[in-house]
Amino acid sequence: MATAARMPSVTLSETPLAEFAAEVRAGLTKPGQKELPSKYLYDEAGSALFEVICLLPEYGLCRAGARLLKRHAEDIADLLPLPVAVAELGSGTGAKTRWMLEALARRQAVNYFPIDISRSALWRCSQELGWIDSVSVVGFEHEYLDGLVSVASRRGPGEHLLVLFLGSTIGNFDRPAGEEFLRRVRGILHPGDALLLATDLEKPVPDLLLAYDDPAGVTAAFNRNLLARINRGLDADFDLAQFEHEVRYEEGERRIEMHLRSRSAQTVHVPLAGLRVSLRPGETIWTESSHKYNCREVAEMGARAGFRCAAQWTDAEWPFAQSLFFTQ
Ligand code: AVJ
């Protein structure tokens, strides 16, 4: 019998325009290297472009993460103390999460709390996952840590929390900030709670460069869309054709960097940020970092942040790891 898709209940707190303007302003007026926060890559167009990136043969990251959960969700569920509610940092489209929720729903009824700053992502994820039997979805339109505080306060008596951080978004932080982020997550959790952390692993540099500079130009469009978003949201006049997508692998930091390189001397106006920015020919705006790890360093980083690494699963085809941590 057909039933209507369950309507998610979503608690809202949109990024205020003033905060967007202030962050754009801070990044573009930074002395030396100009930069923009990578979280702003994910408006509706950016999220759709990222989904296409995940389909590209050169970009194996999403498929590796999904394969690992498909293969090991039961093993992960076997290691968790029940009952457990699930909080997810970055709801994505929920494809990987499905395997985890289905494994848990075979054991107990599941409260699932996706946390994302993108309302459209939350809607789509609850459309995807709200249908699973014994799973109820409450979305939180928040920054990760604010959302996690709200979710943690909603847990039932005796209910543990499993935090999913599956997008390998931790790679967007530099290493010290990533560790600090884990420490903050740990601070919100209680004894017996768990964290499943996805990280992309080191792999041959040519593979990485191709993954972030695909021949079809989807990643280039994803990168330039950040400027389009600033045009739309802050009434700016970036000419996207005047910026080239550039990808570098920094050996010392073991990270991919995405930049937008100015093709000419140009001045851009961002009225709602009260800003006029001049760019030299060849000057770049740094838009994203994606750090690459090895398994041991992930376990050690978690340990320094107050977690115990109970198990790790890796994908052979596209080096990638899921690490299960417990508070202790
Ligand atoms: C969504 C942060 C995991 O770092 O690989 C993909 C984003 N940027 N292609 C990554 C991204 C360019 C992606 N994460």
Side-chain angles (χ1 to χ4, degrees), residues 41-42 50 53 59 61 167-169 172 200 211-212 219 222 258 288-290 292:
L41 289 162
Y42 301 89
F50 179 65
I53 290 174
Y59 188 81
L61 187 148
S168 84
T169 313
N172 289 162
D200 200 20
Y212 289 85
T219 311
F222 172 71
M258 282 203 322
E288 189 181 44
S289 300
S290 190
K292 306 304 168 190

Side-chain angles (χ1 to χ4, degrees), residues 102-227:
E102 285 179 348
L104 286 170
R106 282 190 273 276
R107 292 160 171 81
Q108 53 152 67
V110 185
N111 291 314
Y112 169 57
F113 304 107
I115 301 164
D116 203 299
I117 50 171
S118 158
R119 187 178 309 180
S120 56
L122 284 173
W123 275 96
R124 266 179 316 157
C125 139
S126 47
Q127 293 291 316
E128 238 352 89
L129 302 170
W131 292 90
I132 306 173
D133 274 341
S134 310
V135 173
S136 78
V137 182
V138 179
F140 284 74
E141 188 177 343
H142 286 294
E143 300 272 344
Y144 293 156
L145 294 171
D146 295 341
L148 192 56
V149 169
S150 307
V151 167
S153 73
R154 283 204 175 202
R155 66 166 88 210
E159 195 172 44
H160 298 287
L161 204 57
L162 167 65
V163 178
L164 303 177
F165 198 18
L166 297 182
S168 84
T169 313
I170 192 159
N172 289 162
F173 296 118
D174 61 26
R175 284 182 164 72
E179 187 174 320
E180 182 54 27
F181 182 81
L182 293 184
R183 197 169 285 119
R184 297 221 173 123
V185 169
R186 172 63 190 87
I188 298 166
L189 298 183
H190 296 168
D193 290 344
L195 165 69
L196 187 65
L197 177 70
T199 47
D200 200 20
L201 300 179
E202 293 175 84
K203 51 186 64 62
V205 174
D207 296 357
L208 284 173
L209 293 174
L210 211 54
Y212 289 85
D213 194 2
D214 62 278
V218 183
T219 311
F222 172 71
N223 196 5
R224 285 196 193 93
N225 176 63
L226 181 52
L227 302 182

